[in-house]
Amino acid sequence: LEALMIKLAPPVQQRERASGVKKTYDGPAVEAAIEAGELVNYYQPKVRVDTGALAGVETLVRWQHPEDGIIYPDQFIGVAEKHGLINALTQKVLEQAFAQARLWQQSGYELKVAVNVSMDNLASLDFQDVVVRLAAKSAIPPNKIVLEITESQLMGDVRVSLEILTRLRLKRFHLSIDDFGTGHSSLAQLRDIPFDELKIDQGFVHRAWESETLRVIYDTSLALAKQLNMETVAEGVEDRGDWELLRQTGCDLAQGNFIAKPMPADRLSHWMKEWQT
Ligand code: C2E
Ligand code: CA
Ligand code: CA
Ligand code: CA
């Protein structure tokens, strides 16, 4: 495994973004992109820390802009939320993710596929019907689907959202609390919502091995998740020190550039073959 890591881990690079001013995109532009099929799903592996086995993938959407190239989600998810387009966007991402998961399933990979869900998706009970219908259409069992919800979005009055999450959990979909440590979800909330997985935010993972402050937050998050019987995922694993810390502390799963960057499905399929051998 160690040798494989060295072989496969890409050098950690700063993300190449267009230099200069960041272009802004408006609602109609994002709407047109969704309709034109310009949203592309990238996928990043989640691997088991103890065995190195591939456990699943997280779907990370990109906008393949015909002129501007690859646009990252921080430049259009907020726009989609603000302009009432997030349901259409999430539906596209789910459809593409499930269709891809089906292909991987048919090639013999037992993968869980995770999709990021916005709180705005959880405003109406229709959402669960959409998820159920799309999963059935691609014949992906609910327990192979993970819905990731960021912790900071779980604050405040979220009764309807909690209702939808609980219903999805009852149908055996898996729920993940994302960016843990950056919001202030109460212990009561964590107890009430049936999360299966807790993702420690990358800000408390990378370099936690050399920073006492980060290490306290990392350890506390891990302990809390274990107490609540949740699987733990460390995100932003960027170097060997990060990886060693996860091994020493018994974190269940790892995700980050040290293992693999997010990539399009065809490239990830190649990566999977290499990783297995
Ligand atoms: P996230 O869910 O916390 O996703 C992890 C982010 O960390 C991704 O950024 C990923 O590319 C990046 N990352 C992965 N490994 C490393 C690493 O080792 N080091 C560092 N520094 N970063 C790493 P990305 O793809 O730009 O996505 C940003 C955020 O956009 C995501 O954060 C998620 O909240 C949101 N997002 C992405 N796709 C979707 C989507 O389909 N729907 C919604 N609603 N939100 C999405
Ligand atoms: Ca996520
Ligand atoms: Ca995250
Ligand atoms: Ca994030």
Side-chain angles (χ1 to χ4, degrees):
L1 173 66
E2 292 294 303
L4 195 64
M5 287 279 200
I6 295 163
K7 194 175 90 190
L8 293 175
V12 176
Q13 293 161 347
Q14 284 296 85
R15 169 176 295 167
E16 311 101 45
R17 287 185 189 274
S19 54
V21 247
K22 230 190 203 181
K23 211 168 147 181
T24 54
Y25 298 93
D26 59 10
V30 174
E31 185 169 21
I34 298 171
E35 278 163 16
E38 289 169 10
L39 298 187
V40 181
N41 289 5
Y42 275 45
Y43 301 92
Q44 187 176 37
K46 292 179 179 176
V47 302
R48 296 215 71 87
V49 174
D50 53 0
T51 61
L54 178 65
V57 296
E58 176 180 3
T59 309
L60 295 158
V61 69
R62 272 92 181 91
W63 175 2
Q64 180 72 62
H65 194 286
E67 281 129 42
D68 302 343
I70 301 265
I71 314 292
Y72 289 88
D74 59 340
Q75 276 181 274
F76 61 89
I77 295 289
V79 179
E81 287 172 343
K82 202 172 129 206
H83 290 83
L85 302 167
I86 195 68
N87 281 331
L89 184 148
T90 303
Q91 184 158 337
K92 270 269 187 250
V93 173
L94 286 168
E95 265 166 12
Q96 294 174 170
F98 294 171
Q100 184 57 51
R102 176 81 181 142
L103 293 177
W104 280 324
Q105 199 184 65
Q106 286 166 341
S107 317
Y109 292 103
E110 274 286 314
L111 291 175
K112 278 190 179 180
V113 61
V115 175
N116 291 288
V117 168
S118 158
M119 213 53 180
D120 293 357
N121 292 133
L122 304 175
S124 125
L125 291 172
D126 295 346
F127 183 70
Q128 53 150 344
D129 300 331
V130 170
V131 176
V132 168
R133 179 170 55 77
L134 294 178
K137 197 173 127 200
S138 293
I140 308 294
N143 65 2
K144 294 288 176 199
I145 295 169
V146 183
L147 303 171
E148 297 193 5
I149 299 106
T150 57
E151 188 197 19
S152 59
Q153 293 196 314
L154 283 174
M155 300 179 304
D157 186 6
V158 290
R159 265 170 299 181
V160 177
S161 323
L162 297 192
E163 169 78 27
I164 297 168
L165 291 176
T166 305
R167 289 185 187 202
L168 284 163
R169 188 65 193 82
L170 286 172
K171 292 197 183 330
R172 305 279 181 270
F173 290 90
H174 286 198
L175 306 178
S176 172
I177 183 162
D178 200 357
D179 295 357
F180 191 79
T182 61
H184 320 84
S185 51
S186 68
L187 285 174
Q189 239 169 8
L190 283 185
R191 187 200 55 208
D192 292 344
I193 314 167
F195 284 105
D196 303 276
E197 177 184 279
L198 182 148
K199 299 186 81 171
I200 306 172
D201 188 72
Q202 52 192 45
F204 309 115
V205 173
H206 178 48
R207 300 209 159 279
W209 53 276
E210 59 166 12
S211 153
E212 228 171 283
T213 321
L214 297 184
R215 182 62 194 270
V216 168
I217 302 170
Y218 169 86
D219 284 343
T220 308
S221 308
L222 199 68
L224 178 69
K226 301 227 165 200
Q227 285 279 318
L228 294 171
N229 271 320
M230 292 188 244
E231 278 223 299
T232 49
V233 185
E235 347 180 67
V237 177
E238 289 190 6
D239 59 34
R240 177 160 298 278
D242 297 344
W243 172 260
E244 282 304 323
L245 175 68
L246 308 194
R247 282 174 38 124
Q248 285 158 19
T249 52
C251 184
D252 299 312
L253 299 159
Q255 185 180 347
N257 293 345
F258 182 64
I259 298 141
K261 286 186 173 191
M263 44 193 143
D266 55 340
R267 262 170 50 211
L268 187 60
S269 302
H270 283 289
W271 181 93
M272 286 177 187
K273 274 189 214 141
E274 293 262 304
W275 186 254
Q276 273 200 332
T277 49

